[in-house]
Amino acid sequence: MIIVLKPLSPKEDIERVENMVKARGLDTHVIEGAEMTIIGCIGDTSRIDSKLFEVDPAVTKVMHVQEPYKLASRAFHPDDSIIDVSGVKVGGDNLALIAGPCSVESVDQVLEIAKAAKASGANMLRGGAFKPRTSPYSFQGLGLEGLDILCEAKAATGLPIVTELMSAEYLDVFNEKVDLIQIGARNMQNFDLLKQLGQVDRPILLKRGLNATYEEWLMSAEYIMASGNENVILCERGVRTFESYTRNTLDLQSIPVIQKLSHLPIIIDPSHAGGKWWLVEPMAKAAVAAGANGLMIEVHNNPEMALCDGSQSLKPAKYDALLKQVAEIAKVVGKTF
Amino acid sequence: MIIVLKPLSPKEDIERVENMVKARGLDTHVIEGAEMTIIGCIGDTSRIDSKLFEVDPAVTKVMHVQEPYKLASRAFHPDDSIIDVSGVKVGGDNLALIAGPCSVESVDQVLEIAKAAKASGANMLRGGAFKPRTSPYSFQGLGLEGLDILCEAKAATGLPIVTELMSAEYLDVFNEKVDLIQIGARNMQNFDLLKQLGQVDRPILLKRGLNATYEEWLMSAEYIMASGNENVILCERGVRTFESYTRNTLDLQSIPVIQKLSHLPIIIDPSHAGGKWWLVEPMAKAAVAAGANGLMIEVHNNPEMALCDGSQSLKPAKYDALLKQVAEIAKVVGKTF
Amino acid sequence: MIIVLKPLSPKEDIERVENMVKARGLDTHVIEGAEMTIIGCIGDTSRIDSKLFEVDPAVTKVMHVQEPYKLASRAFHPDDSIIDVSGVKVGGDNLALIAGPCSVESVDQVLEIAKAAKASGANMLRGGAFKPRTSPYSFQGLGLEGLDILCEAKAATGLPIVTELMSAEYLDVFNEKVDLIQIGARNMQNFDLLKQLGQVDRPILLKRGLNATYEEWLMSAEYIMASGNENVILCERGVRTFESYTRNTLDLQSIPVIQKLSHLPIIIDPSHAGGKWWLVEPMAKAAVAAGANGLMIEVHNNPEMALCDGSQSLKPAKYDALLKQVAEIAKVVGKTF
Amino acid sequence: MIIVLKPLSPKEDIERVENMVKARGLDTHVIEGAEMTIIGCIGDTSRIDSKLFEVDPAVTKVMHVQEPYKLASRAFHPDDSIIDVSGVKVGGDNLALIAGPCSVESVDQVLEIAKAAKASGANMLRGGAFKPRTSPYSFQGLGLEGLDILCEAKAATGLPIVTELMSAEYLDVFNEKVDLIQIGARNMQNFDLLKQLGQVDRPILLKRGLNATYEEWLMSAEYIMASGNENVILCERGVRTFESYTRNTLDLQSIPVIQKLSHLPIIIDPSHAGGKWWLVEPMAKAAVAAGANGLMIEVHNNPEMALCDGSQSLKPAKYDALLKQVAEIAKVVGKTF
């Protein structure tokens, strides 16, 4: 941590701020020049609220040098983490291919989609049982019944299942039945929920919040890891910008950035990012070319009648054609599935 | 709802889309011109996912005409709602003046601040017992012990208390002890929590999410109202933009916009918006001049040693001076406290 | 400037980076701790591209300590600058009140509006002769003819005139006829144009770009000042965010921030920010309460028939009523007009 | 264009607004339902400022149905435009590969880079002669001398040259010497400059502004096309968001979106988007996988000593390795170079 004081600060100001720093167990080191006076703070600053020092009238700004996360940091764990999702490896050179409908609607629907997706090469099944909807009047999902339908599809196809947890109330049932527990973008900073994920044995799929910085996203992963569950997979699904033609702006730079800062795998959800089915194919290919560790794609057998997000779903035949091209690009960049 | 088709769409395309609309219980009305073909959809469209129609290849876009919220809408309830917070009226010409420390730290701290704030004119006491922190390693608040300290301060001063609820687990104890239950920006779309707020008798202070549109914010209010609790106060605390000199960008246009779209009161939190104490005074005065229904301001007796957000807190003397100017501006715009 | 190296960087890495720094005429000062190794760079770093050092593999980031602007900086010029616009003082406790139509349409129109605005208290007249329009098919302004109409209105009312310059081609005629030359948001980083403003004697009104940080805005002012024209007035007119209900999000925190960082006056344009006439009144009052040095407001005698931006214009009677309230708020915060 | 009135608007309100519409030469068509009253406006609305109608108190919003651009629209020109840049085809299945230093520094520098880039497969040479810099104190480019150096490199290698025009003052010399004239992000809405581009015979490379919507970007292309120059290539180089770890957020969804809305080619500049050399390789591959019509990449033989943007430049060997992978991905998606 570096504290910048007003240029040519008098000795008593420097000493007063140094004392604030030392009172928190850190060493100080002062550099004085005509244009700046700074105090370098040496020691573990990760648990110190740096903004505190801005209260002092001599301080103009405080800058962090260390990353505030540890368990999620690449520095702490130089090798890629490979997360095991009921037998499917995610991370490193393995490509996670998660497919399925936005919402679970019926046994027939999910079974039909799951079988088709598996035949195309998908290795996990997604489907929403509990749905976060902007409107209280929209379809909210089938709830526990939806979960049971997913389990049936898993039994029939062998595909591990991925679905979103919205409340700690269902922690036990998710831990029992769900292979990969998804935390949605809107709950990325529901810290109370994050802390409770240390109690489950299942890996967590943590979506990026719509306005979360890379650092905040990794700090949310850190919450889960610090609570005792180190199996976290990150999922980029677009961030909110001024552009409203697309639902969100997909940030594919997140792939190399996260892979530099962290050892955790990162997968891409092009369906939610763009909100339009015809954006899914080019963005899925781009994600794999950029080195993503997986794709999460909405597939629906009858998008026109979907209860949710039909306009961003691929039909099974389109998904099949997409995976063929994805396979070729994966080969170029050294990924397999 | 209006569905825009490709210009000069053939009859069968128009009919196919009309049938999709009629299947959902709406009437249709077609307008055809050289540059556009549109289908006006007549009936209650508030529960219909308009994006569904974008699946059809003839459709270029779907536009909503009605607001998707009802209970929160000014159209539904033309007069200002006046919310009663344990005797303090919020809304209309009454100015809510909420003050207190970011975090509850000790009985002495809270009592000292509460007494000073009341003497200056504050009519509610705020303080965080459960704290949403970006880092799992930061101070997380005193929890239930902090709640008891607030109650002690309430007993001593008579000020109703405002504090943040982060988990449905504490719903009962908040309902018993807290006069105004705050839902923080990061939980604005924690829909599971919102739905449960219908079970409490206390009014709710709903902060705007960092990237929430006015419509999404009002939809979150609608969740609470539709679950049975119509006493919602909105609180603007800044939105996230590209500008990082300030913590967030305070959107004071939200005041006239919300007052036009909704009957619910809106108060402003200039402390969290800017993240710097010297921004609080000018923004508090601006908010009142713009017609805000209240102010929520962090006041701390010893900001240098605050466990959280000291850099954005006013000392009691500065708060006192601010309220004197606020009183004069309030008079100009017809507000009282 | 501070260069952060990888923690525990070996001696040769530190020396290599130190040599890069010294080659640019700066002194270095190294601080080494278990968690960080930093190099403080002492000397005038304002002309050094700090990103250059990021090329070195041992460097993790480079942080600026000094502000990159000098002439615009409050540190360089502690007192408020008072800019003289043909006799009207802008800055300090004086409130600039600029009013007029978006576009100059006819002599009668401008004269009528100018007289009414002056009677209400306005002390400058605005009107667009050259109009920056998103569409090539929209009305582009009357050009030089519009300029002559403004001059006629100036002759009739004595109000100094403000109008936008879009091209260096008209520099001489603007210098001759226009009292305050406006540079629009879209040209805020038209560096070629900025550099040429040193050749004119007239003060410049520099609007903030839609996505400009405070620092970039002040750097654009620095361009003008460094080219020889130190009479710059800044104008906030809203920034672009995810919220599309309003045209832009008005950033009133810019008032105290700019006044802290710079000695230049800052005025607010609530008409362009919100794009709706009913937002102008509350935002104008808020701006004055926050300490703005002036207001620029669109006034039109017949907004329904305006060739441009009628929906954000006030009618003269509404402007008159607004200025009465503005006068009262100005008194509270120590401003006069 | 559709005008939404207040629900259950009285007849006289509807007629008044209809008359406003008819006065502009359009036909009207009214739809009335319990929840909405709308007026469909039939005719050419592309030159009408739709916000005008918002002035009427009965109007709640006005929605555009038609795209406001024509010449740039895919509807107007269904086939891909293939732009000829001095013999190099851009658009369709051809991949434009533009490489070179950020700034032209010397003959030796440019020649060395140009030869290496050509050997790797580049088919155009870029280099800045006039540089738009945020600071007036940064290196501003060699100007006309830089242009001559580029011409020398063109003579030696046969590569067409691409460089940025910042001022209409140099229009003639650019028209004579430059094969592809670049308009930078900061001048994307310098409408005066755009209009003058109709006078040159050379194709234009139009970069997206940092906060420009797709529609605004295409409207700027429309300015150039409407002025008489239909040879426009679009270039995405990142948009500004809340994320500051990367310089900008690269929006690769722009590729399929622009290709749907327009017939103009779109190329990607991953160097400026991320501002870090290690982001260039993954983003270049992603861009090609997503169907981009080309790449513009900064290559420097000695990034540590570059006068500008060295930290985002690839060394020639890395560029060579990148193009080998790009070639493989191009094959998968049907592009050639």
Side-chain angles (χ1 to χ4, degrees):
Chain A
M1 193 173 61
I2 288 158
I3 299 175
V4 183
L5 305 188
K6 289 185 179 152
L8 307 175
S9 282
K11 217 183 191 102
E12 62 265 30
D13 284 7
I14 300 175
E15 282 179 9
R16 183 182 62 246
V17 179
E18 279 192 275
N19 288 338
M20 284 175 74
V21 175
K22 287 175 180 163
R24 281 160 178 90
L26 303 175
D27 276 343
T28 60
H29 195 122
V30 177
I31 302 178
E32 291 180 81
E35 292 83 11
M36 68 173 189
T37 303
I38 69 167
I39 301 175
C41 306
I42 303 172
D44 180 5
T45 60
S46 65
R47 288 163 203 225
I48 288 177
D49 181 3
S50 62
K51 296 194 75 199
L52 268 183
F53 301 101
E54 291 181 10
V55 178
D56 192 284
V59 173
T60 61
K61 59 182 154 183
V62 184
M63 299 186 292
H64 251 297
V65 172
Q66 285 172 269
E67 256 91 41
Y69 42 86
K70 291 192 176 262
L71 302 174
S73 168
R74 175 71 75 176
F76 177 84
H77 185 303
D79 295 327
D80 286 355
S81 278
I82 312 287
I83 312 288
D84 186 304
V85 182
S86 306
V88 175
K89 307 284 186 208
V90 183
D93 293 341
N94 312 286
L95 217 47
L97 291 169
I98 307 172
C102 181
S103 295
V104 172
E105 296 170 21
S106 71
V107 178
D108 288 354
Q109 172 230 27
V110 176
L111 268 181
E112 183 182 334
I113 296 170
K115 285 174 184 167
K118 188 183 179 184
S120 300
N123 49 27
M124 282 189 243
L125 174 65
R126 61 147 290 149
F130 297 87
K131 299 295 308 169
R133 302 303 298 272
T134 306
S135 167
Y137 309 123
S138 297
F139 175 59
Q140 307 274 321
L142 294 181
L144 291 176
E145 187 195 334
L147 207 52
D148 288 336
I149 292 175
L150 285 170
C151 291
E152 233 175 287
K154 178 186 175 178
T157 61
L159 294 175
I161 58 176
V162 188
T163 196
E164 179 168 351
L165 175 70
M166 286 177 65
S167 161
E169 185 186 348
Y170 296 108
L171 214 54
D172 288 343
V173 63
F174 270 64
N175 195 25
E176 186 196 330
K177 297 183 176 175
V178 178
D179 299 285
L180 177 58
I181 300 174
Q182 177 179 322
I183 300 298
R186 287 171 186 77
N187 278 324
M188 193 202 86
Q189 292 193 318
N190 179 345
F191 300 118
D192 190 74
L193 184 57
L194 298 181
K195 282 182 200 171
Q196 302 202 44
L197 295 173
Q199 300 168 22
V200 300
D201 308 314
R202 303 293 192 164
I204 307 299
L205 183 69
L206 180 67
K207 288 202 154 187
R208 183 183 185 180
L210 287 175
N211 69 337
T213 62
Y214 302 132
E215 188 173 299
E216 288 168 339
W217 191 12
L218 290 172
M219 287 309 284
S220 287
E222 187 86 5
Y223 256 97
I224 301 170
M225 298 172 89
S227 76
N229 187 342
E230 302 214 344
N231 295 311
V232 178
I233 300 169
L234 300 166
C235 179
E236 159 76 28
R237 41 83 74 228
V239 293
R240 182 161 276 184
T241 68
F242 58 85
E243 178 59 72
S244 60
Y245 181 88
T246 47
R247 182 198 271 174
N248 293 117
T249 298
L250 181 62
D251 176 14
L252 290 180
Q253 288 181 154
S254 65
I255 301 168
V257 169
I258 290 294
Q259 288 172 344
K260 185 179 190 78
L261 299 178
S262 177
H263 52 93
L264 299 173
I266 173 170
I267 71 169
I268 302 296
D269 173 353
S271 306
H272 280 89
K276 298 181 191 291
W277 68 265
W278 51 272
L279 290 171
V280 173
E281 188 217 305
M283 290 303 107
K285 292 191 286 186
V288 172
N293 301 109
L295 295 170
M296 175 139 134
I297 290 177
E298 290 194 3
V299 177
H300 200 286
N301 49 351
N302 189 4
E304 292 83 357
M305 295 307 293
L307 292 176
C308 163
D309 283 349
S311 60
Q312 70 196 35
S313 296
L314 294 187
K315 291 188 186 176
K318 278 209 190 317
Y319 182 69
D320 191 66
L322 169 59
L323 283 209
K324 286 190 171 51
Q325 287 205 56
V326 161
E328 292 187 71
I329 292 173
K331 214 185 304 167
V332 176
V333 298
K335 290 280 193 296
T336 54
F337 65 95
Chain B
M1 192 173 62
I2 288 158
I3 301 177
V4 183
L5 304 187
K6 289 185 181 152
L8 307 175
S9 283
K11 217 183 190 106
E12 62 264 32
D13 285 6
I14 300 176
E15 283 178 9
R16 184 183 60 247
V17 178
E18 279 192 276
N19 288 337
M20 284 175 74
V21 175
K22 287 174 179 163
R24 282 162 177 89
L26 303 174
D27 276 344
T28 60
H29 196 122
V30 178
I31 303 177
E32 292 180 80
E35 293 82 11
M36 69 175 188
T37 303
I38 68 166
I39 301 175
C41 306
I42 303 173
D44 180 4
T45 59
S46 66
R47 288 164 203 223
I48 288 177
D49 180 3
S50 62
K51 296 194 74 200
L52 269 181
F53 302 100
E54 291 181 12
V55 178
D56 192 282
V59 173
T60 61
K61 58 184 156 182
V62 185
M63 299 187 291
H64 253 298
V65 171
Q66 286 172 269
E67 256 92 40
Y69 41 86
K70 292 192 176 260
L71 303 174
S73 168
R74 174 74 74 177
F76 177 85
H77 185 304
D79 295 327
D80 287 355
S81 277
I82 312 286
I83 312 287
D84 186 304
V85 183
S86 306
V88 176
K89 307 285 185 206
V90 184
D93 293 341
N94 313 286
L95 216 48
L97 291 168
I98 307 173
C102 181
S103 296
V104 171
E105 297 171 22
S106 71
V107 179
D108 289 353
Q109 172 229 24
V110 176
L111 268 182
E112 183 181 335
I113 296 170
K115 286 175 183 167
K118 188 183 179 185
S120 300
N123 49 26
M124 281 189 244
L125 173 66
R126 61 147 290 151
F130 297 86
K131 297 296 307 168
R133 302 303 298 272
T134 306
S135 167
Y137 309 123
S138 298
F139 174 59
Q140 308 273 321
L142 294 180
L144 293 176
E145 187 193 335
L147 209 50
D148 289 337
I149 291 175
L150 286 170
C151 292
E152 233 175 287
K154 178 186 175 179
T157 61
L159 294 175
I161 58 176
V162 188
T163 196
E164 180 168 350
L165 174 70
M166 288 177 64
S167 162
E169 186 186 348
Y170 297 108
L171 215 52
D172 289 343
V173 61
F174 270 64
N175 196 24
E176 186 195 332
K177 297 183 175 174
V178 178
D179 300 284
L180 177 59
I181 299 175
Q182 177 178 322
I183 300 298
R186 288 171 186 76
N187 278 323
M188 192 204 85
Q189 291 192 319
N190 179 345
F191 300 118
D192 190 76
L193 184 57
L194 298 181
K195 283 180 200 171
Q196 303 202 43
L197 296 173
Q199 301 169 21
V200 301
D201 309 313
R202 303 293 192 163
I204 307 298
L205 183 70
L206 179 67
K207 288 202 155 189
R208 182 182 186 181
L210 287 175
N211 68 337
T213 62
Y214 302 132
E215 187 173 298
E216 289 170 338
W217 190 14
L218 289 172
M219 287 308 285
S220 287
E222 188 84 5
Y223 256 97
I224 300 170
M225 296 171 89
S227 76
N229 186 342
E230 303 213 345
N231 294 310
V232 178
I233 300 168
L234 300 166
C235 179
E236 158 76 30
R237 41 81 76 228
V239 293
R240 182 162 277 184
T241 68
F242 59 85
E243 179 60 72
S244 61
Y245 182 88
T246 47
R247 183 199 267 174
N248 293 117
T249 297
L250 181 62
D251 176 14
L252 291 180
Q253 288 179 339
S254 64
I255 300 168
V257 170
I258 289 295
Q259 288 171 345
K260 184 179 190 79
L261 299 177
S262 177
H263 53 91
L264 299 173
I266 174 171
I267 70 170
I268 302 296
D269 174 352
S271 306
H272 280 88
K276 298 182 191 290
W277 68 265
W278 50 272
L279 289 170
V280 172
E281 187 218 303
M283 289 304 106
K285 292 190 285 185
V288 172
N293 300 110
L295 296 170
M296 174 140 134
I297 291 178
E298 291 193 5
V299 177
H300 200 286
N301 49 352
N302 188 6
E304 293 83 356
M305 294 307 292
L307 292 177
C308 164
D309 284 349
S311 59
Q312 71 196 35
S313 296
L314 294 187
K315 292 188 186 177
K318 279 208 189 317
Y319 182 70
D320 190 66
L322 169 59
L323 283 209
K324 287 190 169 53
Q325 286 204 57
V326 162
E328 292 186 69
I329 293 173
K331 215 185 303 170
V332 177
V333 297
K335 291 277 194 298
T336 53
F337 65 94
Chain C
M1 193 173 62
I2 288 159
I3 299 176
V4 183
L5 305 187
K6 289 185 180 151
L8 307 175
S9 282
K11 216 185 193 101
E12 62 266 30
D13 283 8
I14 300 175
E15 283 178 8
R16 185 182 60 247
V17 179
E18 279 192 275
N19 288 337
M20 285 175 72
V21 175
K22 287 174 179 163
R24 281 160 178 89
L26 303 175
D27 276 343
T28 60
H29 196 121
V30 178
I31 303 177
E32 292 180 80
E35 291 83 11
M36 69 173 188
T37 303
I38 69 166
I39 301 176
C41 305
I42 302 173
D44 180 4
T45 60
S46 66
R47 289 163 202 224
I48 288 176
D49 180 2
S50 62
K51 297 194 71 201
L52 269 181
F53 302 101
E54 291 182 11
V55 179
D56 192 283
V59 173
T60 60
K61 60 181 154 182
V62 185
M63 299 186 291
H64 252 297
V65 171
Q66 287 171 268
E67 257 92 40
Y69 42 85
K70 291 192 175 260
L71 302 173
S73 168
R74 173 72 76 176
F76 177 85
H77 184 304
D79 295 326
D80 286 355
S81 277
I82 311 288
I83 313 288
D84 185 304
V85 182
S86 305
V88 176
K89 308 284 186 208
V90 183
D93 293 341
N94 313 286
L95 217 48
L97 292 170
I98 308 173
C102 181
S103 296
V104 171
E105 297 171 21
S106 70
V107 178
D108 288 353
Q109 172 229 26
V110 176
L111 269 182
E112 183 182 334
I113 296 170
K115 285 175 185 166
K118 188 182 180 185
S120 299
N123 48 27
M124 282 189 243
L125 173 66
R126 61 146 290 150
F130 297 86
K131 298 296 308 169
R133 302 302 298 272
T134 305
S135 167
Y137 309 124
S138 297
F139 175 58
Q140 307 274 320
L142 294 181
L144 292 176
E145 187 194 334
L147 208 51
D148 288 336
I149 292 175
L150 286 170
C151 291
E152 234 175 287
K154 178 185 175 180
T157 60
L159 294 175
I161 58 176
V162 189
T163 196
E164 180 168 350
L165 175 70
M166 287 178 65
S167 162
E169 186 186 348
Y170 297 109
L171 214 52
D172 289 342
V173 61
F174 269 64
N175 195 25
E176 186 196 330
K177 298 183 176 174
V178 178
D179 300 284
L180 177 58
I181 299 176
Q182 177 179 322
I183 300 298
R186 288 170 185 78
N187 278 323
M188 192 202 86
Q189 291 193 319
N190 179 346
F191 300 120
D192 190 74
L193 184 57
L194 298 182
K195 283 180 199 171
Q196 302 201 44
L197 296 173
Q199 301 168 22
V200 301
D201 308 314
R202 304 291 193 165
I204 307 300
L205 183 69
L206 180 67
K207 288 201 155 188
R208 183 182 185 180
L210 287 174
N211 69 337
T213 61
Y214 303 132
E215 188 173 298
E216 289 169 338
W217 191 13
L218 289 172
M219 287 308 284
S220 287
E222 188 84 5
Y223 256 97
I224 301 170
M225 297 172 89
S227 76
N229 187 341
E230 301 213 345
N231 294 310
V232 179
I233 300 169
L234 300 166
C235 179
E236 158 76 28
R237 41 82 75 229
V239 293
R240 182 161 277 184
T241 68
F242 58 85
E243 178 61 71
S244 60
Y245 182 88
T246 47
R247 181 198 270 175
N248 293 116
T249 298
L250 181 62
D251 176 14
L252 290 180
Q253 287 179 339
S254 64
I255 300 168
V257 170
I258 289 295
Q259 288 172 344
K260 185 181 189 79
L261 299 178
S262 177
H263 53 92
L264 299 173
I266 174 170
I267 70 169
I268 301 296
D269 174 351
S271 306
H272 281 89
K276 297 180 191 292
W277 67 266
W278 50 272
L279 289 170
V280 172
E281 187 217 304
M283 290 304 106
K285 292 191 284 185
V288 173
N293 301 110
L295 296 171
M296 175 139 134
I297 291 178
E298 290 194 3
V299 176
H300 200 286
N301 49 351
N302 189 5
E304 291 83 358
M305 295 307 292
L307 292 177
C308 164
D309 283 350
S311 60
Q312 70 196 34
S313 295
L314 295 187
K315 293 188 186 175
K318 279 209 189 316
Y319 182 68
D320 191 66
L322 169 59
L323 284 208
K324 286 192 170 53
Q325 286 205 56
V326 162
E328 291 186 69
I329 293 173
K331 213 186 303 168
V332 176
V333 298
K335 291 277 194 298
T336 54
F337 65 94
Chain D
M1 193 172 63
I2 289 157
I3 300 176
V4 183
L5 305 187
K6 289 184 180 153
L8 307 175
S9 282
K11 216 181 192 104
E12 62 265 31
D13 284 6
I14 300 176
E15 283 178 9
R16 185 182 61 245
V17 178
E18 278 191 275
N19 288 337
M20 284 174 74
V21 174
K22 288 174 179 164
R24 282 161 178 88
L26 302 175
D27 275 344
T28 60
H29 196 123
V30 177
I31 302 177
E32 292 180 80
E35 293 82 11
M36 67 176 188
T37 303
I38 69 167
I39 301 175
C41 306
I42 302 173
D44 181 4
T45 59
S46 66
R47 288 164 204 223
I48 288 178
D49 181 2
S50 62
K51 297 194 74 202
L52 270 182
F53 302 100
E54 291 181 11
V55 178
D56 193 281
V59 173
T60 60
K61 59 182 155 182
V62 184
M63 299 187 293
H64 252 297
V65 172
Q66 286 171 268
E67 257 91 41
Y69 41 86
K70 291 193 175 261
L71 303 173
S73 168
R74 174 72 76 177
F76 177 85
H77 184 304
D79 295 327
D80 287 354
S81 278
I82 313 287
I83 312 287
D84 185 304
V85 182
S86 306
V88 176
K89 308 283 186 209
V90 184
D93 293 341
N94 314 286
L95 217 48
L97 292 169
I98 307 172
C102 182
S103 295
V104 172
E105 296 171 21
S106 70
V107 179
D108 288 354
Q109 172 229 27
V110 177
L111 268 181
E112 183 182 334
I113 296 170
K115 286 175 183 167
K118 188 183 179 186
S120 300
N123 50 25
M124 281 189 243
L125 173 66
R126 61 147 290 151
F130 297 86
K131 300 294 308 167
R133 302 303 298 273
T134 306
S135 168
Y137 309 123
S138 297
F139 175 59
Q140 307 274 322
L142 294 180
L144 292 177
E145 187 195 334
L147 208 52
D148 289 336
I149 291 175
L150 287 170
C151 291
E152 234 175 285
K154 179 187 175 178
T157 61
L159 295 175
I161 58 177
V162 189
T163 196
E164 179 168 352
L165 174 70
M166 288 177 63
S167 162
E169 185 186 347
Y170 297 108
L171 214 53
D172 289 342
V173 61
F174 269 64
N175 195 25
E176 185 196 330
K177 298 183 175 173
V178 177
D179 300 284
L180 177 58
I181 299 175
Q182 176 179 321
I183 300 298
R186 287 171 186 77
N187 278 323
M188 193 203 85
Q189 292 193 319
N190 179 345
F191 300 117
D192 189 76
L193 183 58
L194 298 181
K195 283 181 200 172
Q196 303 203 42
L197 295 173
Q199 301 170 21
V200 301
D201 309 313
R202 304 293 193 163
I204 307 298
L205 183 70
L206 180 66
K207 289 201 154 187
R208 181 182 187 181
L210 288 174
N211 69 337
T213 62
Y214 302 132
E215 188 173 297
E216 288 169 338
W217 191 12
L218 289 171
M219 287 308 285
S220 287
E222 188 85 5
Y223 257 98
I224 300 170
M225 298 172 88
S227 75
N229 187 342
E230 301 214 345
N231 295 310
V232 179
I233 301 169
L234 300 167
C235 179
E236 159 76 28
R237 42 81 75 226
V239 292
R240 183 161 275 183
T241 67
F242 59 84
E243 178 61 71
S244 61
Y245 181 88
T246 47
R247 182 199 269 174
N248 293 117
T249 297
L250 182 62
D251 175 14
L252 291 179
Q253 288 179 338
S254 64
I255 300 168
V257 170
I258 289 294
Q259 288 172 345
K260 185 180 190 78
L261 299 178
S262 178
H263 53 92
L264 299 173
I266 173 171
I267 70 169
I268 301 296
D269 174 352
S271 305
H272 280 88
K276 298 180 191 290
W277 67 266
W278 51 271
L279 290 170
V280 173
E281 188 218 303
M283 289 305 105
K285 292 191 284 185
V288 173
N293 300 110
L295 295 171
M296 174 140 134
I297 291 178
E298 290 194 3
V299 177
H300 200 286
N301 49 353
N302 189 6
E304 292 83 356
M305 295 307 292
L307 292 177
C308 164
D309 283 349
S311 59
Q312 70 195 34
S313 296
L314 293 187
K315 292 187 185 176
K318 278 208 190 316
Y319 182 69
D320 190 67
L322 168 59
L323 283 209
K324 288 192 170 51
Q325 286 204 58
V326 162
E328 292 187 69
I329 292 172
K331 215 186 302 168
V332 176
V333 298
K335 290 278 193 298
T336 54
F337 64 94

